[in-house]
Amino acid sequence: MIAPSLSEREWVLAGSKGEQRVHAFLLLSRGGTLLGEEVVDLPSPALLWLPSHAARTVRVNAGARGYMLAADDDFLTRTISSAPEGSLLRHTIDGIVLVPAHLLQNRAEEIGHSFQALAREVRAPDRGSMAVIGAHVTLICLHLWRLAEADASSEAGLRGTGHHVLQQFRQLVELRYREHWSIKRYAGALGVTENRLHAVCIRNAGHPPRSLVYDRMVQDACMRLQQMDVPVEQIAFSLGFKDPGYFNRFFKKHVGVPPGTYRRRAKPQHAGSTNSYAAWP
């Protein structure tokens, strides 16, 4: 928590690869300044997100009130990967995001509740604390994503443009990739032709729409193989594959090894990661 102080305070974030922590600041009053390649004012309320690679200094004014969150990058990745909107959240939180005051005005208190809950769980861990922490971190990321998208649409007037179509397509993929929709069905739901959708994805994402769908399926499969101690066949069914054999071939084609081999290789690395409260100062 950032409690009111008689003097300015600052956090110097070096963006070191060794640290690998993301930081979030919710300033509810008095505001502050973001220092880096340029100086950016942080009028209150302000929600600022800084990925682990961002080398910046955050300075809050005397009397400022709010919250600061620091989270281990690995913990964040594992937390949001299980969310239906995981890939969309990752796209947002990989960069620096500053939500302007006019968009945050009606959400600041609601987002503040998640910061408060995180502080309570860190101060007094209890049964299920890591699950509560993960839930509130995901909530904060969802708010960040929503507000960042609203800001981009209002500033750039993206409705109907290729960028907006791609955003809608990614959102629809998050909802439907386990149902194995055809690209034709995606295009129809978006109100565009298959050729239009293909052109938009190539121009704005560098990949055709089918590759984007497959990438999301593979990402989910990898997460489940690492984190869920259930048979591969059950994972195949949960991802909408009616034939486990086809899932094995699909996974090997896109990852290079069968799912069972991937799980055995990933287990030692995943087992070395612990849900440590040290990631939450």
Side-chain angles (χ1 to χ4, degrees), residues 162 165-166 169 183-184 186-187 190 192-212:
V165 171
L166 177 61
F169 174 61
I183 300 303
K184 180 178 181 180
Y186 278 113
L190 295 171
V192 298
T193 65
E194 287 185 74
N195 288 340
R196 165 70 169 157
L197 181 58
H198 186 274
V200 164
C201 290
I202 290 292
R203 184 171 63 252
N204 293 281
H207 299 281
R210 190 173 303 279
S211 292
L212 298 179

Side-chain angles (χ1 to χ4, degrees), residues 177-188:
Y177 71 90
R178 296 184 189 90
E179 299 175 26
H180 295 236
W181 275 20
S182 66
I183 300 303
K184 180 178 181 180
R185 189 171 181 182
Y186 278 113

Side-chain angles (χ1 to χ4, degrees), residues 60-79:
V60 300
N61 297 327
R65 181 176 60 87
Y67 302 91
M68 190 277 284
L69 165 71
D72 180 81
D73 223 353
D74 181 61
F75 175 83
L76 180 67
T77 298
R78 286 184 280 113
T79 296

Side-chain angles (χ1 to χ4, degrees), residues 7 10 66 76 99 122 141 154 174 220 230 233 260 274:
S7 59
E10 66 178 36
L76 180 67
V99 178
V122 171
C141 291
S154 63
E174 288 298 319
D220 195 353
V230 298
E233 291 81 3
T274 58

Side-chain angles (χ1 to χ4, degrees), residues 75 79 126-137 275 277:
F75 175 83
T79 296
D126 200 349
R127 288 177 297 177
S129 281
M130 290 310 302
V132 174
I133 287 174
H136 281 288
V137 169
N275 290 331
Y277 288 104

